Amino acid sequence: MTLADNAVQQNEWSQAGRLDSKIGALLFLAFAAAYFCSALVRAITATLSPVLTQDFALQARDLGLLAGGYFLGFAAMQLPLGGWLDRFGPKRVILYFLSMAVLGCLAFSVASSFAWLLAARVLVGMGVSACLMAPLTGFRRWFEAPMVLRANSWMLMTGSLGMLASTLPVQWLMPLTGWRPLFWILAAMIVLAMVAIAWLVPHWNVAPTLATARASLPPERAVSPWGGPAVKLAPTFVASRTALPPEGAGLAGGGPALRPLVPTPVVSVSVPPHEASYAPIWRSRYFRKMTPLAFFNYGGLVALQTLWAGPWLVKVADYSALQAATGLFYINAAMLVTFWGWGMLNPWLAQRGWSANRLIAWGVPLSLAILALNILAGAATGWLGWALFCMASSVMGLAQPAVGMAFPAALAGRALSGYNLMIFSGIFVVQWGIGLLIDAFSATGLSEIASFQLAMAVFLCCCIASYGYFLSVNADN
């Protein structure tokens, strides 16, 4: 029995199924430990790119594919992941997935060819693919809405801390251990995170409370959460609503009054077959509005932060390997502070009418302007220019919880995983695409600096187009 399950017995859950602050903080830290490892192994290729390029004779497209392999594996798991999270809950799913990440790290450490490296990298990506979606699915149930935004920002802050650890600390360790033992250490860290999750995270009930079950059901005739005309609920919805007894009432056969937490076998909420799929997610106008931003803007942010900022610093700005690692350290430190700031400000901004949509509408143009200046400056753009771009782009982190809260709690796992699929598909495409473009422009006789600039300019055009689509669609969460 976990610590949170003990809290259930001791009545530390609120009537709506929320966790109290102490248990919630411990649970957050357990998930944060896993996400820290996920971000560290995600970003480590930027620091290791010089040694991997030398050891395996990699070209730019190979390096882009290797880094993108993580995101390919990650994206491939998102659709089944969402359904599994809604059905089995965060704890069970993330423990199974992290087992694959441990195997992937060990396989990467003994790789003897590029193909082996790539296969291990894909396996790692699959294994850590639940490290953000699992806690966000749980937060949707366990925390109040303002705290969901704060917890999301602080999870991203934890990710920035992991990326921070992938820079100078990794650069300092490599002369002592070599790059292969680093992945043994990573595997051990993931195992420790799994132990914390197994001990702290509560078991998952489909309908943890009468209040939650009743609140999650829409009115008999209501506007669909994904947009469109009013819809008539399936009979199973109506029957489930009427079947729920009032809280505090005794059982039908007599006995004591019902407690706020009711075991799953007592109350079950039937879900129509089409609601168990991704159909309502794909039909949502709001989801479709946010998708291009997720693919290009958010995906591009991560692609640059976790890979291409490093090669730019070395090959365009003429940094040494140590200087580039130091620059990446500063970039990720800036992102850590930025996400901490979002976590502190989000509840305050929400109370004053600054929704996620409004903040994104104002923040994205700033990031695009900085990206354009970085491209034009060429060799003069160092770590500071890329840090400013990443900080301005961090506003996209608000989109994820906004999408999750646009749907009923029963669909949260699928909504978040569907959106995450768009993000990580974008990361893979942008990371590999920039490498392909750099090699293609170099093959025409352009200098390395000009090739990097033109590849980034293509990326900028895609981001501008996705922002234009965002503005053109009239939909809100």
Side-chain angles (χ1 to χ4, degrees):
M1 182 174 290
T2 68
L3 184 64
D5 289 326
N6 285 331
V8 170
Q9 290 188 348
Q10 297 167 17
N11 249 351
E12 290 180 0
W13 285 68
S14 73
Q15 197 172 28
R18 312 295 187 191
L19 281 172
D20 78 344
S21 57
K22 178 183 175 181
I23 300 298
L26 291 173
L27 180 146
F28 174 87
L29 291 174
F31 280 123
Y35 191 57
F36 172 88
C37 296
S38 167
L40 199 165
V41 74
R42 176 201 309 172
I44 200 170
T45 47
T47 305
L48 296 182
S49 60
V51 66
L52 292 177
T53 299
Q54 182 178 6
D55 287 359
F56 294 91
L58 304 182
Q59 297 183 7
R61 61 178 177 270
D62 301 322
L63 190 60
L65 180 59
L66 179 62
Y70 171 101
F71 301 105
L72 179 63
F74 201 111
M77 299 307 298
Q78 290 307 299
L79 293 185
L81 173 64
W84 292 336
L85 284 172
D86 287 333
R87 182 178 179 186
F88 300 112
K91 176 181 178 176
R92 186 174 174 185
V93 171
I94 196 173
L95 290 177
Y96 278 113
F97 273 64
L98 287 177
S99 301
M100 287 193 293
V102 172
L103 293 176
C105 286
L106 296 176
F108 197 93
S109 72
V110 296
S112 58
S113 67
F114 174 72
W116 192 335
L117 278 179
L118 180 59
R121 184 77 174 159
V122 171
L123 183 60
V124 170
M126 294 170 66
V128 298
S129 60
C131 285
L132 184 59
M133 293 302 96
L136 290 188
T137 300
F139 296 163
R140 177 69 174 81
R141 175 182 292 186
W142 297 324
F143 298 156
E144 299 290 346
M147 288 306 299
V148 171
L149 289 171
R150 173 171 288 178
N152 178 78
S153 292
W154 283 353
M155 283 295 292
L156 296 177
M157 180 189 75
T158 304
S160 294
L161 187 60
M163 293 183 192
L164 199 68
S166 74
T167 56
L168 280 180
V170 168
Q171 189 69 32
W172 292 332
L173 279 173
M174 272 202 297
L176 302 175
T177 65
W179 65 268
R180 294 181 187 274
L182 288 175
F183 286 86
W184 307 344
I185 297 171
L186 277 170
M189 291 169 61
I190 294 171
V191 169
L192 291 176
M194 292 171 67
V195 171
I197 290 170
W199 181 53
L200 291 168
V201 178
H203 294 291
W204 192 253
N205 294 317
V206 175
T209 66
L210 291 174
T212 303
R214 185 181 289 108
S216 68
L217 295 174
E220 195 166 335
R221 288 194 67 85
V223 175
S224 127
W226 51 88
V231 294
K232 180 72 175 177
L233 289 180
T236 48
F237 267 137
V238 179
S240 297
R241 176 178 295 282
T242 57
L244 292 174
E247 290 186 19
L251 297 173
L258 290 174
R259 295 172 65 83
L261 186 76
V262 179
T264 305
V266 176
V267 178
S268 62
V269 181
S270 300
V271 180
H274 74 279
E275 295 295 344
S277 72
Y278 276 85
I281 311 300
W282 306 137
R283 285 199 301 266
S284 166
R285 292 191 68 218
Y286 183 72
F287 185 90
R288 294 198 301 269
K289 168 180 179 169
M290 305 300 287
T291 294
L293 285 178
F295 192 92
F296 288 110
N297 299 64
Y298 202 167
L301 160 66
V302 180
L304 289 173
Q305 187 183 3
T306 58
L307 178 62
W308 287 113
W312 177 287
L313 294 178
V314 172
K315 297 183 178 181
V316 178
D318 199 26
Y319 282 32
S320 68
L322 180 58
Q323 288 173 326
T326 304
L328 292 172
F329 179 89
Y330 292 146
I331 290 171
N332 289 302
M335 290 299 287
L336 187 152
V337 174
T338 300
F339 283 125
W340 176 83
W342 279 122
M344 296 300 295
L345 286 174
N346 275 333
W348 183 85
L349 290 169
Q351 291 173 359
R352 285 155 180 79
W354 282 87
S355 65
N357 285 354
R358 187 178 178 190
L359 290 166
I360 290 169
W362 283 90
V364 169
L366 177 60
S367 70
L368 298 179
I370 295 172
L371 177 58
L373 291 174
N374 286 349
I375 295 169
L376 291 173
T381 300
W383 70 265
L384 181 59
W386 292 117
L388 291 173
F389 167 73
C390 292
M391 291 170 69
S393 300
S394 68
V395 70
M396 288 304 308
L398 304 178
Q400 220 157 7
V403 168
M405 290 188 290
F407 296 89
L411 291 172
R414 275 157 286 173
L416 289 166
S417 294
Y419 191 72
N420 221 32
L421 171 64
M422 298 298 106
I423 294 172
F424 281 87
S425 298
I427 299 169
F428 172 73
V429 169
V430 173
Q431 278 196 336
W432 193 18
I434 287 177
L436 290 172
L437 287 171
I438 290 170
D439 283 347
F441 290 131
S442 296
T444 65
L446 292 174
S447 69
E448 196 164 45
I449 292 177
S451 298
F452 268 82
Q453 287 177 299
L454 283 175
M456 293 294 181
V458 172
F459 165 60
L460 172 61
C461 291
C462 294
C463 290
I464 292 172
S466 65
Y467 179 65
Y469 179 79
F470 167 81
L471 295 179
S472 70
V473 177
N474 184 21
D476 207 325
N477 69 332

